[in-house]
Amino acid sequence: MIPANLKYTKDHEWVSLDGDVATVGITHFAQSELGDIVYVEVETLDQTLEKDEVFGTVEAVKTVSDLFLPLAGEIIEFNEDLERNPENVNSDPYGKGWMIKVKVADVSQYDELLDSEAYASLIGA
């Protein structure tokens, strides 16, 4: 459940990069630790944030967790389908459960993220 074509953060976000646009979500491990997701909030649309700044929150039945931006840049899109179907984060975290798209300020930051093997080691998989 750790796709090799993605990069990861120690905060359990995943990232795919297409040119200078990154798609970001939370990992299968993160969603399983959180439990049933009931709400995803992103109030940073059209804002430019630094790497590791909070871009939103994910609310599960038992807890609320901050979401940290893996790469500096401008939040250009929010997956609005999550407003109606937040459970997609649980059922399809790497597909329908994506959260935001970011116009990346410095694509070299992508190379600093964890690969699938390093992330697997981090979570003990």
Side-chain angles (χ1 to χ4, degrees), residues 2 8 38 45 73 82 91 93 115-116 124:
I2 304 174
Y8 301 88
V38 295
L45 190 61
L82 296 181
S91 63
D115 64 16
S116 59

Side-chain angles (χ1 to χ4, degrees), residues 81-99:
D81 189 46
L82 296 181
E83 291 177 349
R84 294 176 303 285
N85 302 297
E87 66 277 3
N88 285 347
V89 175
N90 293 115
S91 63
D92 190 11
Y94 302 111
K96 292 181 190 174
W98 69 272
M99 294 180 175

Side-chain angles (χ1 to χ4, degrees), residues 46-65:
D46 299 325
Q47 293 181 26
T48 299
L49 302 175
E50 293 300 314
K51 181 180 178 197
D52 297 328
E53 279 193 79
V54 173
F55 73 82
T57 56
V58 62
E59 183 177 338
V61 173
K62 300 178 200 168
T63 188
V64 175
S65 289

Side-chain angles (χ1 to χ4, degrees), residues 14-125:
W14 61 262
V15 183
S16 70
L17 190 63
D18 183 9
D20 65 350
V21 175
T23 302
V24 179
I26 65 170
T27 65
H28 173 76
F29 175 81
Q31 70 78 24
S32 67
E33 291 291 302
L34 288 167
D36 292 337
I37 308 275
V38 295
Y39 189 68
V40 177
E41 181 176 54
V42 174
E43 293 183 345
T44 52
L45 190 61
D46 299 325
Q47 293 181 26
T48 299
L49 302 175
E50 293 300 314
K51 181 180 178 197
D52 297 328
E53 279 193 79
V54 173
F55 73 82
T57 56
V58 62
E59 183 177 338
V61 173
K62 300 178 200 168
T63 188
V64 175
S65 289
D66 286 336
L67 299 166
F68 298 97
L69 194 62
L71 305 165
E74 180 185 358
I75 315 280
I76 59 171
E77 189 175 342
F78 168 62
N79 182 356
E80 293 181 5
D81 189 46
L82 296 181
E83 291 177 349
R84 294 176 303 285
N85 302 297
E87 66 277 3
N88 285 347
V89 175
N90 293 115
S91 63
D92 190 11
Y94 302 111
K96 292 181 190 174
W98 69 272
M99 294 180 175
I100 60 168
K101 293 196 178 187
V102 181
K103 184 163 178 50
V104 178
D106 179 3
V107 294
S108 71
Q109 288 181 341
Y110 184 75
D111 296 328
E112 299 168 11
L113 298 173
L114 303 172
D115 64 16
S116 59
E117 289 179 11
Y119 184 70
S121 178
L122 175 76
I123 62 172

